[in-house]
DNA sequence: TATCCTATATATAAGGT
DNA sequence: TACCTTATATATAGGAT
């Protein structure tokens, strides 16, 4: 409480060499901070300029963090298909990516459900993030979701699921590694349960 | 040299609303600046923490800008294959992405060769970027490449080409949209010619 | 591992060239 | 469209909790 005289509390930010940070601890901290900063910058760019952006980061621990506007899948599809003008090409390729993305999200949700109970929630800017059509899948952001937001996210997933089914029926291609059917079920029930949820309408837990 | 009295030359950076920039001109400028900043941040993160990162941005004009460490293809492959530990999974899927990436690079090079002669070069931090195994494919950075750097890049491409051939022969899968053979030829000769090159050993222009 | 705080290092919005 | 300058908004390194 007492003012520590002229004693500076910190030397403030210092310049660092642009090379691998040796100290494993410092490296982890820097990774977390800069990863957050990078996602923020990417989000801002997509908002300010309305451009399509995809960002994927793998942590040292092997965890994947991603951001996509409007979503990672369509950006990647566009990148490899070299289709500069199409929003989302309704091709077999598109449906393949769509399927892969849905599976991705399912697994992320399943994985999250096991970790959620040991983390506190923070969600502040999540609302805005959800309002745009972007998808954030970082730990922090999923942690910040409250039930209302979770409900909104569920709505989006349902739409995607339906859209995917429509595509799968329209053109049933046999794609390597990704069987066209059945449609993966999102385990929102588990997620909700891990939060100690009890006021969730039981019917909308089933997609 | 003389202090311009108390007349401020600029009001300096001002805060802006986080929403789509209406003025098309200002939006373009902001896009360029922030895109550059985002790529720099991504590069720094990959260097400081040695993590795998992929970043893809589409400009309003439809041009694709990408960054990947070690390369976009492997990050995306890992992302969709959900293979957290493997460096580069030697699967059919991997070879598909590999092929797609090589084609991508070929097209980028071909496209660049037509623009290069009307641009000046700047390359300063390119050297460092090339030393790492990262690939930058933004306009500015390709412009900055000098012959030595181009030669180094060629070396990498040759390695990739060979690796791709090895994979293609080891497991010849029929992949949708991307015929496994023949291997696309990179048109380095065109690139060199557009720069007014004449001292390039004719033999290494052929991959 | 996340968060807070301080003091700096950087990124950039505007306005010119 | 790119680059330079100025003044300010942000991002963060280091340290502590």
């Amino acid at each position: 409480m007492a003012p520590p005289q002229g004693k500076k509390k910190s030397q403030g930010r210092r310049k660092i060499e642009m090379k691998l940070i040796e100290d494993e601890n410092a490296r982890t901290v820097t990774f977390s901070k800069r990863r957050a900063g990078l996602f923020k910058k990417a989000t801002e760019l997509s908002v300010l300029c309305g451009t399509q952006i995809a960002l994927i980061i793998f942590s040292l621990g092997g965890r994947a963090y991603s951001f996509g506007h409007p979503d990672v899948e369509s950006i990647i599809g566009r990148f490899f298909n070299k289709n500069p003008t199409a929003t989302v090409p309704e091709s077999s390729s598109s449906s393949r990516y769509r399927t892969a993305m849905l599976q991705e999200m399912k697994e992320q949700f399943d994985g999250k459900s096991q970790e959620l109970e040991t983390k506190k929630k923070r969600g502040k800017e999540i609302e805005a993030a959800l309002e745009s059509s972007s998808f954030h899948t970082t730990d922090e952001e999923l942690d910040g979701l409250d039930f209302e937001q979770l409900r909104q996210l569920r709505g989006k997933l349902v739409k995607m699921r339906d859209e995917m089914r429509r595509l799968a029926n329209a053109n049933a291609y046999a794609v390597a590694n990704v069987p066209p059917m059945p449609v993966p079920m999102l385990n929102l029930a588990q997620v909700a349960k891990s939060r100690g949820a009890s006021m969730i309408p039981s019917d909308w837990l089933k997609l």
Side-chain angles (χ1 to χ4, degrees), chain A residues 12-55:
Chain A
R13 176 177 179 177
R14 272 176 288 178
K15 190 180 183 66
I16 61 172
E17 262 193 289
M18 269 305 293
K19 66 173 189 178
L20 184 70
I21 298 175
E22 298 296 340
D23 183 60
E24 194 169 332
N25 221 317
R27 198 196 310 149
T28 302
V29 173
T30 293
F31 175 72
S32 293
K33 288 183 176 180
R34 281 176 174 264
R35 167 167 52 73
L38 199 52
F39 277 112
K40 186 180 181 188
K41 289 285 189 184
T43 302
E44 294 185 342
L45 181 53
S46 71
V47 171
L48 291 175
C49 305
T51 53
Q52 300 191 315
I53 302 178
L55 174 62

Side-chain angles (χ1 to χ4, degrees), chain A residues 130-141:
Chain A
L130 268 180
E131 280 197 312
S132 77
S133 55
S134 301
F135 282 104
H136 290 253
T137 53
T138 60
D139 285 5
E140 309 82 58
E141 290 160 339

Side-chain angles (χ1 to χ4, degrees), chain A residues 116-144:
Chain A
L116 280 171
E117 50 193 330
T118 62
K119 298 184 177 181
K120 53 194 172 184
K121 78 186 220 181
R122 307 169 313 143
K124 23 183 176 181
E125 299 169 348
I126 307 300
E127 197 108 26
L130 268 180
E131 280 197 312
S132 77
S133 55
S134 301
F135 282 104
H136 290 253
T137 53
T138 60
D139 285 5
E140 309 82 58
E141 290 160 339
L142 278 177
D143 290 347

